[in-house]
Amino acid sequence: MPEILQQLSNVFTAYWLWWGIGLAVIVVAIIAGFWWKAKTQTGLYLYNVAIDLYHKGRLQEALKILEKAFKKEPNYQPILYNMGVIYMELGDNEIAKNYFQLSILEIPDDTYALYNVGLIEYEAASYEEAISSWLACIQHSDEVDPDVYYGLGLAYEGMEQWQTALEVYERNYELNPDHIDSKIATARLAYELGDLYYAKRLLDELLKADEEDPESLLYGALVATALQDWDAGEQYSTKLLTLDDEHAHAFNILGVVYFYQKRYEDAEECFEAALELDEEWVSPMNNLAYVYEKQGRLTHAKMRFKQVQGSEALTPQLETDSYWMIQYLKDPEGAEALQAERLATEAEEEANALLQPLFDDTKISENGNELILGVIAPSATDELVEEQAFESVDTNSMIE
């Protein structure tokens, strides 16, 4: 037995160093594990993990990690801002706005958060608030951000402050010549405010730089038609249709051109094509009725005018014009007396002219609006059509 104990003692003596090292390694590993766990649960570490997930497109995972980071570092501005970004991309603007506002509380000159708050407010049609956010963004920014100025223009349009919007777009383009959207918007508003030659100059420049820009072609066609430049109106709208053969507005404009060229069959085809693409669109519906009247198809014309009157998108002008046309179609021989009656009625309503603008209230769809283009209305004879002058858009009712 003593020999066995002596042998065990010798073994322990021989390996005690290795046992000590092993025990030390175990202790170090345990400590390192605790340290690593503590390190990986810090707000900054979690934030970096979330950003990596975000860049990989894993938004929901990134958001969950950021929520953990937020609990640990509720005042860390990058966490707040990026939570707003992800919620915004996921379509939850209200929560996104809350986080952006928290970000602004931490850093009042956080221009990115201010810009995004403005976007959210603009999308909610809170135009005054959007303007306030974007003006603050400009105030705190050392550089001119063209997107901020462009957003300001859109917000002023939302408030129906057309001239201010025009001036903002003009200023933005002066400061940022490469911001084509601002130049197009300037031309669009110039057209809608009735400054046709200014709009034409801008559009000529735009189309010279890019002859296939759809919005420039659209407004080029509108301006050309308003100026009775039928060749240019036909050229631009036809070009637009080569780029998009389902462009309802291009069909409608081309129909107007053909109408005034007395190419009634071609005009009919264009208005019908526009209606095939949008059967509820009141403008080509109204225009088609005038084509029928010119072709002598009075029953068809009357039915179309009644359809116009039943439209949910009926404008006051179209309601008036279609009413008088229906009265005329009931008794074409009494056109002269009817004309006098209409003049008397409009005088009572303090109307300044019998002849109406070529274009109804107008607005372009890119900015969430609707373009409506109508034919000059009230005559029942070719002579009256030819004598009618084209007037600028009524700025009081230009945009709904």
Side-chain angles (χ1 to χ4, degrees), residues 15 25 49 97-98 110 117 166 243 251 308 321-322 338 379:
Y15 291 100
V25 168
V49 171
K97 182 179 177 180
N98 291 336
D110 180 2
V117 169
L166 177 65
L243 299 174
F251 276 119
V308 169
D321 291 340
S322 59
L338 186 64
S379 84

Side-chain angles (χ1 to χ4, degrees), residues 290 293-294 325 339 342 376-382 384-385 388:
Y290 279 103
E293 187 271 324
K294 295 302 179 186
M325 284 303 299
Q339 198 85 316
R342 177 170 184 171
I376 286 183
S379 84
T381 66
D382 288 340
L384 279 178
V385 169
Q388 290 172 4

Side-chain angles (χ1 to χ4, degrees), residues 228-359:
Q228 303 186 52
D229 186 349
W230 309 125
D231 290 340
E234 182 176 359
Q235 175 189 345
Y236 292 142
S237 51
T238 301
K239 180 70 172 179
L240 198 51
L241 286 169
T242 62
L243 299 174
D244 179 4
D245 61 1
E246 294 188 350
H247 200 298
H249 297 306
F251 276 119
N252 198 37
I253 297 169
L254 188 57
V256 172
V257 171
Y258 289 153
F259 178 87
Y260 284 103
Q261 291 177 332
K262 298 185 180 181
R263 296 165 58 180
Y264 298 130
E265 290 185 4
D266 293 332
E268 180 181 354
E269 290 181 6
C270 288
F271 295 140
E272 286 179 345
L275 284 172
E276 285 180 8
L277 294 166
D278 185 354
E279 62 182 13
E280 300 298 325
W281 191 14
V282 69
S283 184
M285 190 187 303
N286 179 75
N287 296 343
L288 190 57
Y290 279 103
V291 171
Y292 289 153
E293 187 271 324
K294 295 302 179 186
Q295 293 172 329
R297 300 158 64 184
L298 303 188
T299 301
H300 286 78
K302 186 163 61 175
M303 290 175 62
R304 278 293 181 185
F305 281 124
K306 287 183 177 180
Q307 187 179 5
V308 169
Q309 286 201 320
S311 171
E312 294 182 358
L314 186 64
T315 64
Q317 189 60 60
L318 286 177
E319 182 178 14
T320 298
D321 291 340
S322 59
Y323 169 79
W324 286 107
M325 284 303 299
I326 290 172
Q327 301 308 308
Y328 158 75
L329 292 169
K330 289 179 179 179
D331 181 19
E333 300 299 325
E336 185 174 342
L338 186 64
Q339 198 85 316
E341 182 183 350
R342 177 170 184 171
L343 282 170
T345 301
E346 290 182 344
E348 291 176 1
E349 296 173 351
E350 298 182 349
N352 296 321
L354 169 65
L355 307 180
Q356 304 302 326
L358 171 64
F359 304 111

Side-chain angles (χ1 to χ4, degrees), residues 30-49:
I30 293 172
I31 294 173
F34 283 116
W35 174 83
W36 179 250
K37 183 177 181 180
K39 179 180 184 300
T40 57
Q41 294 303 309
T42 64
L44 182 58
Y45 177 84
L46 292 170
Y47 167 77
N48 289 329
V49 171

